[in-house]
């Protein structure tokens, strides 16, 4: 049967990794995301790996490994300072951990020179 719509693989992968979180399978989520990052070529129009990278960071945080989570996101966002998905995810981690001043400072710094759009509107409501 042929489908009359296109569902990108990165959307399916994101849905799957989120469901792993929903059922509390955090270590499995980390392994899954790492494997998908290795398998697919995410550069040059091959999709966006941000959802998988966020999944790793959020799962690490969910396991209570806060310091490791901070290091993970800070290392990633050092190289990709305008990655909206990563900023959203790290903001959520900081906020949930009670580190609100750091969260607000990061968002203020990041939103200064980017336009508000549907993919990052949450950053402008903080």
């Amino acid at each position: 049967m042929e489908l009359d719509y296109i569902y990108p693989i990165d959307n399916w992968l994101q849905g799957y990794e989120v469901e792993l979180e929903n059922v509390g399978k955090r270590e499995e989520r980390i392994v899954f995301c790492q494997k998908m990052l290795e398998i697919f070529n995410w550069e040059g129009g091959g999709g966006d790996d941000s959802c998988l990278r966020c999944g790793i960071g959020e799962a690490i945080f969910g396991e209570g490994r806060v310091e490791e989570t901070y290091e993970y996101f800070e290392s990633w966002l050092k190289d990709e300072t305008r990655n909206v998905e990563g900023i959203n995810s790290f903001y959520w981690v900081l906020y949930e951990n009670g580190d609100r001043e750091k969260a607000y400072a990061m968002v203020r710094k990041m939103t200064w020179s980017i336009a508000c759009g549907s993919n990052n509107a949450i950053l402008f409501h903080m």
Side-chain angles (χ1 to χ4, degrees):
M1 181 169 115
E2 188 173 324
L3 301 175
D4 61 349
Y5 63 94
I6 297 173
Y7 193 72
I9 187 72
D10 54 331
N11 290 355
W12 185 90
L13 295 173
Q14 181 180 18
Y16 182 77
E17 61 93 4
V18 167
E19 287 304 315
L20 289 172
E21 177 67 27
N22 290 342
V23 296
K25 294 185 176 185
R26 292 186 180 103
E27 191 58 41
E28 189 174 329
R29 183 183 187 193
I30 292 168
V31 170
F32 172 78
C33 290
Q34 289 171 333
K35 284 183 181 178
M36 294 306 103
L37 289 170
E38 292 171 10
I39 290 172
F40 292 100
N41 175 13
W42 296 100
E43 297 183 23
D48 184 5
D49 68 352
S50 296
C51 66
L52 297 169
R53 294 174 79 174
C54 290
I56 292 169
E58 292 168 8
I60 294 168
F61 179 71
E63 291 185 331
R65 298 166 17 206
V66 177
E67 186 175 322
E68 185 180 344
T69 304
Y70 280 33
E71 290 171 5
Y72 174 82
F73 278 109
E74 288 168 351
S75 174
W76 171 21
L77 295 174
K78 178 181 65 177
D79 296 330
E80 294 185 36
T81 59
R82 298 284 182 231
N83 187 301
V84 174
E85 297 294 328
I87 295 166
N88 283 338
S89 189
F90 191 31
Y91 173 87
W92 174 81
V93 165
L94 292 168
Y95 194 86
E96 286 295 308
N97 196 48
D99 204 348
R100 287 166 175 79
E101 283 305 312
K102 185 172 182 168
Y104 291 137
M106 180 184 70
V107 169
R108 281 191 299 273
K109 179 181 170 187
M110 298 300 174
T111 58
W112 186 254
S113 63
I114 61 174
C116 178
S118 62
N119 66 336
N120 67 354
I122 191 170
L123 296 175
F124 293 88
H125 295 283
M126 305 301 162

